[in-house]
Amino acid sequence: MTLRQCSSPDACSIGIGKLTSSVAVVGATDTSVTLAVAASFDVADHQEMESPNMKAIASAPAGASTLHQHQNFAKTATISFGEMRKIEFAHGVTLNLCVNRATESGIPENESCQTDQLMSGVVSQSVVRPL
C-alpha cells in the first residue's frame, strides 16, 4: 500500500507499507477462541510480496522523500465468537480480527464477521475494541 505523510500541501513523504500477520488458535470454548496473533508492519521506499502464484513489487518514486518505520505486534488473546477486534499501526493502518463458527461445509454460521460495514464507513472503526 502507498502511504503519504504531509507537513504542508506541497511537502509530502511517501512510503510503501506492508502488513504481514499470522494467527493460530491455541484454545476454544463454546463461546470464544484464544488466538496467538503476530503481526509486522513495515514502511520503506520499496516492498516485495511473494506467494506461490504471484510476485508484487512496489517502489516510491525516485528522488521522493520517503517514510521508514517498523512495528511488531505479538499477543495471545481470547475473542468471543462474532466479536470484531482491531490492531492499530502507524499511518492509520488497522488489522481487524473476528472469529466465527463454521458449518460442516466450512461456511460461516452467520454474518457477524463481515467487514463490509467497516469498509464502507457505515460502522466506525472507533467502535471496534483493540485486541
Side-chain angles (χ1 to χ4, degrees):
M1 72 189 85
T2 302
L3 303 168
R4 180 183 298 253
Q5 182 176 338
C6 300
S7 57
S8 70
D10 57 348
C12 296
S13 296
I14 295 174
I16 308 299
K18 179 169 77 170
L19 177 62
T20 56
S21 64
S22 66
V23 180
V25 175
V26 295
T29 68
D30 289 341
T31 60
S32 64
V33 175
T34 300
L35 303 173
V37 180
S40 177
F41 180 57
D42 289 298
V43 181
D45 57 351
H46 175 88
Q47 297 286 358
E48 293 184 23
M49 283 185 29
E50 196 167 346
S51 71
N53 300 324
M54 69 160 221
K55 181 175 184 175
I57 301 171
S59 297
S65 172
T66 56
L67 300 169
H68 295 274
Q69 186 156 12
H70 178 79
Q71 289 176 268
N72 285 322
F73 178 92
K75 185 174 186 176
T76 299
T78 300
I79 301 175
S80 297
F81 285 110
E83 178 185 14
M84 185 79 62
R85 301 290 288 275
K86 68 181 175 181
I87 303 167
E88 294 181 314
F89 295 95
H91 306 289
V93 174
T94 302
L95 173 63
N96 292 305
L97 298 170
C98 188
V99 179
N100 200 345
R101 287 186 192 89
T103 64
E104 286 184 26
S105 61
I107 298 171
E109 259 186 7
N110 57 51
E111 296 181 2
S112 60
C113 289
Q114 294 294 322
T115 58
D116 297 348
Q117 293 184 349
L118 284 171
M119 294 177 74
S120 67
V122 172
V123 173
S124 170
Q125 191 66 259
S126 65
V127 299
V128 180
R129 291 185 324 141
L131 183 66

